[in-house]
Amino acid sequence: MKEFLEFTIDLDTFIEELQNRLTANETKVQELLAQTNKSYANFVKPLQIMDEYLGQFFTPLSHINSVSNTDKTQKVYSDALPIITEYSTKLSQNLEIYKVYKEIEEKEKGTLNFTQNRVIELNIEHFEHSGAHLDDTTKERLQEINIRKSELSNNFSQNLLDATNAYEYIISDKKDVEGLPESDIANAEFDDEGVVKYKFTLQMPSYIAYMTYGKNAQIRETLYKAYVTRCPENAAIIDEILALKNEMSQLLGFDSYAAYSLAGKMAEDEGTVLGFLEDLIKNSKAQAKVELAEVQSIAPKALQSFDSGFYSEILKKEKYDIDEEEYRPYFEQQSVVKGTFEFLHSLFGIRFEKLDEKLWDEKATSYNLYVENKLTARLYMDLEARKAKSGGAWMHNWQAHCTDEDGKEQLASAFVVCNFPASSATTPSLLRHDDVVTLFHEMGHAIHHMLSSVDENEVSGVNGVEWDAVEFPSQFLENFAYEPKVLKLFALHHESKEIIPDTMIEKLVKSKNFLSASGMLRQLEFSIFDFRLHMKVHSGDEVQNLLNSIRKDTALIQTPSYNKFQNGFAHIFAGGYAAGYYSYKWAEVLSADAFFSVVDEGIFDSKTAKKYLDIVLRGGGSKSMSSLFKELMGREPNPSNLLRLNGIS
């Protein structure tokens, strides 16, 4: 067995090979079921590994469709989705397999280790939540729903990418780009038959640059309106997705999709989630109003949604004597990556070594990860924005650490994808500090997956972790991006190589919680909208009406009526966060608590950090996160640390 897979994909033969693999898998399932004395070793383990290998084959297609999107990748991915979804649904509804898992649980529970018992427990739950025990007609309808949901989610995502790529705003008057950072002006500048013009798009580095620094309010509003009105065609997709999820949930015996979703999460019920979110609103709103009044005080007229970023930046500069553009020369992308690795080495004793291999893009890179000089995992990074790439940032796991049926070890691998400013032969990729936080966040996910020592792939790394806990390791790590000890590891001026001055670090730390209560309200708005949206069926104007009603409590600036935020809410309509966006705040309670413990112990000499590595990172999904957290901290989480982290009193 090779330690790592080679990243390769043949789009011309992918569908045929997928169908061949699925046929072979179906044959193997029948062979496993035909055995007389079924056990964990001869039944569960082979099924797990079979699923692992299928995922390894399929992941390069979903990855390449996200980072190098073309008509061909779209076509192959769209063709593959119903095939893989039909197979997966049938497998998850197989009553014979479900019965075998129940039999093995009854027969071997006392002799299996806790990780193996966790695999059995989660699989039984998965079969029950997929309808394995239901009649054939219901199973057939659930399969139809799953196939259609996967198609709709893909269409939602593709529409968003196409709309983002299609939009351009051309500025001819140089006065309209005055005040923008030089690097952003350079990225926007182009020659049009001898005339210098400036192009701005809806891709994040370009859009944020003008919304933050662009002096022309009319242009800001034009860009804002283009951004929040993308993909009107997604409204119909939302209606159908919501209807299908509700129907699926009721067929499975749940009152709503929200109730169905919570069955595999830490939160107990809908009331617990809403109570948690509403308490945060109560604790944040007064401070958010004070923050808004401060921003309004420097604006010449009543603030509009497209003004807030611009005037907030002016206030931040005045209040803290801080200019984000002054920081970017200290956050050159390659230096930040190198420093992130150094920080992880200091905190956990792990080491990254760059490889020389051809990948899907010339800017993509790969690294081997070593723990105590032992090769442990592989990391792939694709950090710069480009036209054929989906927006945002994410971690995608590829291989999971495990042992196969013969006891041979497989090492883990993962992708980290971001959309940082693009570098060129003459212009380095200089990051905002927010970008540094994003990189730390995604690396938190990546090491959670790659450092797992679990031998069962279905609960190794991020696999098997409750959805409302999966953000814990990412948020834990991102908090260190403001720590002076950590910043000095990598914040070097890209030209002079001077370490960032202490005065600049002090300003950055002081400004960390600038408008934090306002930011908290915004995230709570998204979370409550998502959760309430899935508590009953909404369609048509009901979706917008629900969002409007929530904004009465969370939006302190009147949102324009043309704002159709939901049509771009990919997290819940094209990702895995439906009825789970609250997870960001839920997990932040855990991450804030653990973070303060490490900081109080001096960071690099922290006993809690070492325990975090051994218990949380190496433990993966082998136990519930509530159990792992109690093992780490010796107590239940302290919710007040979330408010402390955000500077909310």
Side-chain angles (χ1 to χ4, degrees):
M1 178 191 291
K2 281 188 177 181
E3 286 168 334
F4 300 104
L5 299 171
E6 180 184 353
F7 189 93
T8 180
I9 183 167
D10 187 337
L11 294 172
D12 293 325
T13 63
F14 187 89
I15 297 297
E16 182 183 356
E17 188 172 349
L18 175 63
Q19 289 170 325
N20 290 340
R21 283 173 179 261
L22 298 185
T23 300
N25 282 3
E26 286 165 350
T27 300
K28 175 143 189 169
V29 168
Q30 293 308 312
E31 290 171 356
L32 292 172
L33 285 169
Q35 298 175 111
T36 49
N37 295 312
K38 301 178 190 67
S39 66
Y40 189 98
N42 70 19
F43 187 84
V44 177
K45 190 70 169 183
L47 268 183
Q48 273 195 90
I49 295 299
M50 183 184 80
D51 189 56
E52 169 74 10
Y53 292 162
L54 179 60
Q56 290 174 8
F57 170 73
F58 198 85
T59 293
L61 175 62
S62 55
H63 177 74
I64 209 76
N65 192 50
S66 296
V67 299
S68 296
N69 188 272
T70 64
D71 289 343
K72 192 165 188 177
T73 67
Q74 291 173 36
K75 174 72 168 61
V76 176
Y77 188 67
S78 296
D79 289 347
L81 269 182
I83 298 170
I84 191 81
T85 305
E86 180 179 0
Y87 163 83
S88 300
T89 302
K90 280 183 176 176
L91 194 65
S92 66
Q93 293 178 343
N94 190 308
L95 185 59
E96 290 181 77
I97 300 176
Y98 170 60
K99 286 178 178 177
V100 173
Y101 271 92
K102 295 282 281 184
E103 288 166 9
I104 292 172
E105 179 185 44
E106 189 176 338
K107 186 172 61 176
E108 298 187 44
K109 188 167 187 175
T111 57
L112 297 176
N113 62 40
F114 69 85
T115 303
Q116 293 167 329
N117 275 316
R118 177 79 169 159
V119 170
I120 295 283
E121 173 195 333
L122 291 180
N123 269 285
I124 289 172
E125 184 181 277
H126 177 63
F127 278 107
E128 290 172 352
H129 293 167
S130 299
H133 56 297
L134 300 176
D135 61 82
D136 289 344
T137 303
T138 305
K139 284 182 180 178
E140 190 175 327
R141 178 56 187 153
L142 286 168
Q143 182 172 298
E144 291 169 357
I145 289 172
N146 284 337
I147 291 171
R148 183 60 180 154
K149 281 200 296 117
S150 68
E151 290 171 348
L152 290 168
S153 293
N154 182 49
N155 292 345
F156 187 101
S157 181
Q158 191 63 51
N159 289 344
L160 197 55
L161 178 61
D162 290 346
T164 301
N165 287 340
Y167 184 86
E168 294 179 353
Y169 187 90
I170 307 300
I171 294 175
S172 302
D173 190 342
K174 190 173 183 179
K175 286 182 181 178
D176 288 331
V177 296
E178 286 177 0
L180 267 76
E182 289 181 14
S183 56
D184 290 320
I185 293 174
N187 286 332
E189 188 176 304
F190 71 101
D191 183 87
D192 183 11
E193 297 181 355
V195 178
V196 174
K197 294 183 180 179
Y198 307 90
K199 178 173 72 179
F200 289 86
T201 71
L202 300 183
Q203 291 171 0
M204 273 298 105
S206 177
Y207 177 74
I208 288 174
Y210 205 90
M211 296 306 293
T212 306
Y213 301 103
K215 293 179 179 177
N216 189 317
Q218 197 170 8
I219 295 175
R220 289 201 309 270
E221 181 174 15
T222 301
L223 287 169
Y224 172 82
K225 189 171 185 178
Y227 189 79
V228 301
T229 58
R230 289 176 299 169
C231 309
E233 65 272 29
N234 277 354
I237 291 177
I238 289 172
D239 286 354
E240 191 174 353
I241 287 176
L242 292 174
L244 289 171
K245 284 183 173 177
N246 188 70
E247 182 186 354
M248 177 195 78
S249 303
Q250 294 194 338
L251 287 172
L252 292 168
F254 294 91
D255 290 337
S256 66
Y257 185 80
Y260 164 81
S261 169
L262 288 179
K265 293 189 171 86
M266 288 178 71
E268 289 181 18
D269 52 37
E270 293 103 317
T272 302
V273 173
L274 290 175
F276 169 72
L277 297 173
E278 286 161 5
D279 281 348
L280 286 174
I281 289 178
K282 288 174 191 170
N283 285 312
S284 306
K285 198 166 183 179
Q287 185 170 316
K289 286 179 177 178
V290 173
E291 292 171 355
L292 177 62
E294 266 195 293
V295 180
Q296 182 62 72
S297 70
I298 64 164
K301 57 181 182 177
L303 284 170
Q304 303 292 319
S305 297
F306 50 84
D307 292 325
S308 56
F310 177 72
Y311 288 107
S312 295
E313 183 62 23
I314 293 174
L315 176 63
K316 188 177 181 181
K317 202 177 289 187
E318 285 183 6
K319 193 170 182 179
Y320 302 102
D321 188 25
I322 188 170
D323 182 352
E324 281 209 15
E325 184 59 13
E326 290 179 5
Y327 285 80
R328 288 175 68 169
Y330 291 93
F331 298 136
E332 189 274 324
Q333 181 200 129
Q334 292 182 24
S335 176
V336 172
V337 170
K338 182 182 175 187
T340 304
F341 292 164
E342 287 178 14
F343 164 57
L344 291 171
H345 175 70
S346 299
L347 195 64
F348 299 126
I350 63 178
R351 177 171 61 86
F352 291 86
E353 190 175 285
K354 191 173 183 180
L355 300 170
D356 182 17
E357 66 173 323
K358 187 175 180 181
L359 298 170
W360 55 91
D361 188 89
E362 61 179 11
K363 298 284 183 71
T365 52
S366 59
Y367 304 84
N368 277 341
L369 186 161
Y370 294 85
V371 178
E372 296 176 351
N373 293 320
K374 180 187 175 186
L375 181 61
T376 302
R378 181 165 292 177
L379 172 69
Y380 300 88
M381 298 184 106
D382 186 346
L383 302 181
E384 296 187 12
R386 54 181 177 271
K387 196 164 187 178
K389 188 177 181 183
S390 294
W394 64 90
M395 186 284 294
H396 193 164
N397 49 305
W398 191 6
Q399 295 169 272
H401 178 273
C402 62
T403 55
D404 66 11
E405 301 102 312
D406 300 320
K408 292 178 182 173
E409 184 181 29
Q410 173 182 277
L411 303 183
S413 61
F415 305 94
V416 165
V417 181
C418 298
N419 273 277
F420 298 153
S423 59
S424 68
T426 56
T427 308
S429 174
L430 303 180
L431 311 186
R432 297 172 303 126
H433 185 258
D434 282 353
D435 295 326
V436 178
V437 174
T438 296
L439 179 63
F440 272 51
H441 180 99
E442 300 308 335
M443 282 299 297
H445 281 308
I447 62 171
H448 188 200
H449 187 70
M450 295 188 297
L451 292 177
S452 177
S453 59
V454 177
D455 289 336
E456 308 299 324
N457 56 283
E458 289 184 350
V459 292
S460 180
V462 297
N463 297 331
V465 177
E466 300 99 320
W467 198 258
D468 48 5
V470 79
E471 296 295 334
F472 167 23
S474 55
Q475 293 170 335
F476 170 78
L477 201 69
E478 77 173 56
N479 290 328
F480 290 98
Y482 281 92
E483 286 300 309
K485 286 182 183 179
V486 178
L487 285 166
K488 288 192 173 187
L489 291 174
F490 60 81
L492 307 175
H493 195 285
H494 73 103
E495 291 175 337
S496 69
K497 306 306 176 188
E498 169 200 13
I499 296 175
I500 189 169
D502 289 341
T503 52
M504 290 182 70
I505 292 178
E506 286 167 15
K507 291 176 187 178
L508 189 65
V509 173
K510 282 180 182 176
S511 68
K512 173 182 179 287
N513 287 321
F514 177 64
L515 302 185
S516 61
S518 303
M520 176 75 80
L521 280 189
R522 181 170 166 77
Q523 287 299 307
L524 294 171
E525 177 183 301
F526 299 163
S527 300
I528 293 175
F529 170 62
D530 161 50
F531 202 74
R532 287 198 179 279
L533 190 65
H534 290 96
M535 287 179 70
K536 66 172 191 172
V537 181
H538 293 79
S539 63
D541 291 341
E542 292 174 340
V543 175
Q544 186 65 54
N545 292 341
L546 174 65
L547 183 53
N548 291 344
S549 70
I550 292 165
R551 282 175 172 161
K552 288 177 183 176
D553 204 25
T554 58
L556 302 183
I557 298 175
Q558 180 78 35
T559 307
S561 59
Y562 57 72
N563 182 308
K564 302 296 178 187
F565 158 78
Q566 63 271 25
N567 293 342
F569 200 179
H571 270 79
I572 70 170
F573 296 119
Y577 283 86
Y581 197 83
Y582 78 90
S583 302
Y584 281 101
K585 289 302 166 195
W586 188 273
E588 200 174 344
V589 172
L590 309 180
S591 64
D593 209 344
F595 166 71
F596 283 126
S597 180
V598 172
V599 170
D600 291 345
E601 293 170 356
I603 301 180
F604 298 128
D605 298 320
S606 167
K607 291 179 181 177
T608 302
K610 301 297 182 284
K611 285 174 67 180
Y612 174 81
L613 169 63
D614 292 336
I615 295 169
V616 176
L617 298 183
R618 288 189 170 139
S622 62
K623 294 180 183 176
S624 71
M625 191 58 80
S626 58
S627 297
L628 293 176
F629 187 87
K630 285 176 197 169
E631 196 176 332
L632 171 67
M633 302 297 289
R635 56 170 172 77
E636 296 284 349
N638 180 0
S640 66
N641 278 320
L642 170 59
L643 297 173
R644 176 187 167 193
L645 182 71
N646 287 274
I648 297 172
S649 53

